[in-house]
Amino acid sequence: MKHVHIVFSLLFIMVGIVIITLSKMIEEVIPKLGYAAFQSAAAGSYDSSAYQVNFELNYWIGAICILGGVICLISTMNVVRNSIRELNIRNKAFDETHNYDDTRELK
């Protein structure tokens, strides 16, 4: 069951990346398409600001998807808990190999 959370976290991150990538591509292409349409119609004057689209909400949704996926992935992996456990194991092994006595008094 643990792997299901990891898969969905990675999927959530990928969806966020796709949303941001597609939004950025569309934001760059639409003014060029507007200019091409203006050239073919040959009417009026071309204003690039008329073809600017606000994708701020898409960027927020993509960022929230990525952030949510990363948070779920980190919480599922228990990185901090595993690191502390590994550190304790290494400390214990070091103490055993060097016959370190933790009960002696400090001077």
Side-chain angles (χ1 to χ4, degrees), residues 66-78:
I66 293 171
L67 187 62
V70 168
I71 289 171
C72 289
L73 189 64
I74 289 174
S75 68
T76 302
M77 293 176 60
N78 296 325

mmCIF file with all atom_site columns, all heavy atoms in Angstrom, residues 66-78:
data_model
loop_
_atom_site.group_PDB
_atom_site.id
_atom_site.type_symbol
_atom_site.label_atom_id
_atom_site.label_alt_id
_atom_site.label_comp_id
_atom_site.label_asym_id
_atom_site.label_entity_id
_atom_site.label_seq_id
_atom_site.pdbx_PDB_ins_code
_atom_site.Cartn_x
_atom_site.Cartn_y
_atom_site.Cartn_z
_atom_site.occupancy
_atom_site.B_iso_or_equiv
_atom_site.pdbx_formal_charge
_atom_site.auth_seq_id
_atom_site.auth_comp_id
_atom_site.auth_asym_id
_atom_site.auth_atom_id
_atom_site.pdbx_PDB_model_num
ATOM 1  N N   . ILE A 1 66 ? 2.508  20.354 -7.724  1.00 0.00 ? 66 ILE A N   1
ATOM 2  C CA  . ILE A 1 66 ? 3.900  19.945 -7.497  1.00 0.00 ? 66 ILE A CA  1
ATOM 3  C C   . ILE A 1 66 ? 4.219  19.955 -6.012  1.00 0.00 ? 66 ILE A C   1
ATOM 4  O O   . ILE A 1 66 ? 4.804  18.995 -5.484  1.00 0.00 ? 66 ILE A O   1
ATOM 5  C CB  . ILE A 1 66 ? 4.852  20.866 -8.281  1.00 0.00 ? 66 ILE A CB  1
ATOM 6  C CG1 . ILE A 1 66 ? 4.667  20.649 -9.788  1.00 0.00 ? 66 ILE A CG1 1
ATOM 7  C CG2 . ILE A 1 66 ? 6.301  20.614 -7.887  1.00 0.00 ? 66 ILE A CG2 1
ATOM 8  C CD1 . ILE A 1 66 ? 5.392  21.647 -10.650 1.00 0.00 ? 66 ILE A CD1 1
ATOM 9  N N   . LEU A 1 67 ? 3.846  21.010 -5.327  1.00 0.00 ? 67 LEU A N   1
ATOM 10 C CA  . LEU A 1 67 ? 4.135  21.119 -3.897  1.00 0.00 ? 67 LEU A CA  1
ATOM 11 C C   . LEU A 1 67 ? 3.421  20.025 -3.100  1.00 0.00 ? 67 LEU A C   1
ATOM 12 O O   . LEU A 1 67 ? 4.012  19.393 -2.212  1.00 0.00 ? 67 LEU A O   1
ATOM 13 C CB  . LEU A 1 67 ? 3.728  22.499 -3.385  1.00 0.00 ? 67 LEU A CB  1
ATOM 14 C CG  . LEU A 1 67 ? 4.111  22.835 -1.962  1.00 0.00 ? 67 LEU A CG  1
ATOM 15 C CD1 . LEU A 1 67 ? 5.627  22.826 -1.802  1.00 0.00 ? 67 LEU A CD1 1
ATOM 16 C CD2 . LEU A 1 67 ? 3.560  24.186 -1.578  1.00 0.00 ? 67 LEU A CD2 1
ATOM 17 N N   . GLY A 1 68 ? 2.157  19.787 -3.423  1.00 0.00 ? 68 GLY A N   1
ATOM 18 C CA  . GLY A 1 68 ? 1.419  18.728 -2.739  1.00 0.00 ? 68 GLY A CA  1
ATOM 19 C C   . GLY A 1 68 ? 2.028  17.353 -2.982  1.00 0.00 ? 68 GLY A C   1
ATOM 20 O O   . GLY A 1 68 ? 2.128  16.535 -2.062  1.00 0.00 ? 68 GLY A O   1
ATOM 21 N N   . GLY A 1 69 ? 2.443  17.098 -4.209  1.00 0.00 ? 69 GLY A N   1
ATOM 22 C CA  . GLY A 1 69 ? 3.089  15.820 -4.518  1.00 0.00 ? 69 GLY A CA  1
ATOM 23 C C   . GLY A 1 69 ? 4.398  15.638 -3.784  1.00 0.00 ? 69 GLY A C   1
ATOM 24 O O   . GLY A 1 69 ? 4.696  14.558 -3.272  1.00 0.00 ? 69 GLY A O   1
ATOM 25 N N   . VAL A 1 70 ? 5.194  16.706 -3.709  1.00 0.00 ? 70 VAL A N   1
ATOM 26 C CA  . VAL A 1 70 ? 6.477  16.630 -3.000  1.00 0.00 ? 70 VAL A CA  1
ATOM 27 C C   . VAL A 1 70 ? 6.247  16.404 -1.508  1.00 0.00 ? 70 VAL A C   1
ATOM 28 O O   . VAL A 1 70 ? 6.928  15.585 -0.883  1.00 0.00 ? 70 VAL A O   1
ATOM 29 C CB  . VAL A 1 70 ? 7.312  17.911 -3.243  1.00 0.00 ? 70 VAL A CB  1
ATOM 30 C CG1 . VAL A 1 70 ? 8.485  17.992 -2.302  1.00 0.00 ? 70 VAL A CG1 1
ATOM 31 C CG2 . VAL A 1 70 ? 7.781  17.961 -4.685  1.00 0.00 ? 70 VAL A CG2 1
ATOM 32 N N   . ILE A 1 71 ? 5.276  17.100 -0.933  1.00 0.00 ? 71 ILE A N   1
ATOM 33 C CA  . ILE A 1 71 ? 4.987  16.921 0.495   1.00 0.00 ? 71 ILE A CA  1
ATOM 34 C C   . ILE A 1 71 ? 4.520  15.497 0.775   1.00 0.00 ? 71 ILE A C   1
ATOM 35 O O   . ILE A 1 71 ? 4.975  14.864 1.736   1.00 0.00 ? 71 ILE A O   1
ATOM 36 C CB  . ILE A 1 71 ? 3.951  17.957 0.973   1.00 0.00 ? 71 ILE A CB  1
ATOM 37 C CG1 . ILE A 1 71 ? 4.586  19.340 1.006   1.00 0.00 ? 71 ILE A CG1 1
ATOM 38 C CG2 . ILE A 1 71 ? 3.388  17.588 2.338   1.00 0.00 ? 71 ILE A CG2 1
ATOM 39 C CD1 . ILE A 1 71 ? 3.613  20.467 1.257   1.00 0.00 ? 71 ILE A CD1 1
ATOM 40 N N   . CYS A 1 72 ? 3.638  14.964 -0.048  1.00 0.00 ? 72 CYS A N   1
ATOM 41 C CA  . CYS A 1 72 ? 3.169  13.585 0.142   1.00 0.00 ? 72 CYS A CA  1
ATOM 42 C C   . CYS A 1 72 ? 4.307  12.583 -0.039  1.00 0.00 ? 72 CYS A C   1
ATOM 43 O O   . CYS A 1 72 ? 4.405  11.604 0.692   1.00 0.00 ? 72 CYS A O   1
ATOM 44 C CB  . CYS A 1 72 ? 2.042  13.264 -0.830  1.00 0.00 ? 72 CYS A CB  1
ATOM 45 S SG  . CYS A 1 72 ? 0.512  14.105 -0.460  1.00 0.00 ? 72 CYS A SG  1
ATOM 46 N N   . LEU A 1 73 ? 5.174  12.846 -1.001  1.00 0.00 ? 73 LEU A N   1
ATOM 47 C CA  . LEU A 1 73 ? 6.296  11.949 -1.252  1.00 0.00 ? 73 LEU A CA  1
ATOM 48 C C   . LEU A 1 73 ? 7.259  11.938 -0.074  1.00 0.00 ? 73 LEU A C   1
ATOM 49 O O   . LEU A 1 73 ? 7.703  10.878 0.369   1.00 0.00 ? 73 LEU A O   1
ATOM 50 C CB  . LEU A 1 73 ? 7.021  12.370 -2.532  1.00 0.00 ? 73 LEU A CB  1
ATOM 51 C CG  . LEU A 1 73 ? 8.091  11.443 -3.069  1.00 0.00 ? 73 LEU A CG  1
ATOM 52 C CD1 . LEU A 1 73 ? 7.461  10.120 -3.482  1.00 0.00 ? 73 LEU A CD1 1
ATOM 53 C CD2 . LEU A 1 73 ? 8.777  12.079 -4.252  1.00 0.00 ? 73 LEU A CD2 1
ATOM 54 N N   . ILE A 1 74 ? 7.558  13.110 0.460   1.00 0.00 ? 74 ILE A N   1
ATOM 55 C CA  . ILE A 1 74 ? 8.481  13.191 1.599   1.00 0.00 ? 74 ILE A CA  1
ATOM 56 C C   . ILE A 1 74 ? 7.866  12.559 2.841   1.00 0.00 ? 74 ILE A C   1
ATOM 57 O O   . ILE A 1 74 ? 8.536  11.835 3.575   1.00 0.00 ? 74 ILE A O   1
ATOM 58 C CB  . ILE A 1 74 ? 8.893  14.651 1.860   1.00 0.00 ? 74 ILE A CB  1
ATOM 59 C CG1 . ILE A 1 74 ? 9.816  15.127 0.739   1.00 0.00 ? 74 ILE A CG1 1
ATOM 60 C CG2 . ILE A 1 74 ? 9.576  14.798 3.208   1.00 0.00 ? 74 ILE A CG2 1
ATOM 61 C CD1 . ILE A 1 74 ? 10.162 16.585 0.808   1.00 0.00 ? 74 ILE A CD1 1
ATOM 62 N N   . SER A 1 75 ? 6.578  12.813 3.067   1.00 0.00 ? 75 SER A N   1
ATOM 63 C CA  . SER A 1 75 ? 5.952  12.234 4.255   1.00 0.00 ? 75 SER A CA  1
ATOM 64 C C   . SER A 1 75 ? 5.835  10.719 4.143   1.00 0.00 ? 75 SER A C   1
ATOM 65 O O   . SER A 1 75 ? 5.891  10.013 5.161   1.00 0.00 ? 75 SER A O   1
ATOM 66 C CB  . SER A 1 75 ? 4.572  12.849 4.477   1.00 0.00 ? 75 SER A CB  1
ATOM 67 O OG  . SER A 1 75 ? 3.688  12.459 3.449   1.00 0.00 ? 75 SER A OG  1
ATOM 68 N N   . THR A 1 76 ? 5.696  10.209 2.956   1.00 0.00 ? 76 THR A N   1
ATOM 69 C CA  . THR A 1 76 ? 5.592  8.765  2.765   1.00 0.00 ? 76 THR A CA  1
ATOM 70 C C   . THR A 1 76 ? 6.940  8.089  2.947   1.00 0.00 ? 76 THR A C   1
ATOM 71 O O   . THR A 1 76 ? 7.027  6.994  3.494   1.00 0.00 ? 76 THR A O   1
ATOM 72 C CB  . THR A 1 76 ? 5.055  8.449  1.355   1.00 0.00 ? 76 THR A CB  1
ATOM 73 O OG1 . THR A 1 76 ? 3.792  9.082  1.202   1.00 0.00 ? 76 THR A OG1 1
ATOM 74 C CG2 . THR A 1 76 ? 4.897  6.972  1.135   1.00 0.00 ? 76 THR A CG2 1
ATOM 75 N N   . MET A 1 77 ? 7.976  8.756  2.532   1.00 0.00 ? 77 MET A N   1
ATOM 76 C CA  . MET A 1 77 ? 9.297  8.135  2.560   1.00 0.00 ? 77 MET A CA  1
ATOM 77 C C   . MET A 1 77 ? 9.928  8.141  3.952   1.00 0.00 ? 77 MET A C   1
ATOM 78 O O   . MET A 1 77 ? 10.872 7.394  4.208   1.00 0.00 ? 77 MET A O   1
ATOM 79 C CB  . MET A 1 77 ? 10.227 8.837  1.568   1.00 0.00 ? 77 MET A CB  1
ATOM 80 C CG  . MET A 1 77 ? 9.806  8.620  0.134   1.00 0.00 ? 77 MET A CG  1
ATOM 81 S SD  . MET A 1 77 ? 10.796 9.526  -1.039  1.00 0.00 ? 77 MET A SD  1
ATOM 82 C CE  . MET A 1 77 ? 12.410 8.884  -0.722  1.00 0.00 ? 77 MET A CE  1
ATOM 83 N N   . ASN A 1 78 ? 9.453  8.984  4.867   1.00 0.00 ? 78 ASN A N   1
ATOM 84 C CA  . ASN A 1 78 ? 9.993  9.059  6.228   1.00 0.00 ? 78 ASN A CA  1
ATOM 85 C C   . ASN A 1 78 ? 11.505 9.260  6.212   1.00 0.00 ? 78 ASN A C   1
ATOM 86 O O   . ASN A 1 78 ? 12.263 8.543  6.871   1.00 0.00 ? 78 ASN A O   1
ATOM 87 C CB  . ASN A 1 78 ? 9.642  7.816  7.041   1.00 0.00 ? 78 ASN A CB  1
ATOM 88 C CG  . ASN A 1 78 ? 8.167  7.671  7.261   1.00 0.00 ? 78 ASN A CG  1
ATOM 89 O OD1 . ASN A 1 78 ? 7.468  8.661  7.409   1.00 0.00 ? 78 ASN A OD1 1
ATOM 90 N ND2 . ASN A 1 78 ? 7.686  6.438  7.267   1.00 0.00 ? 78 ASN A ND2 1
#
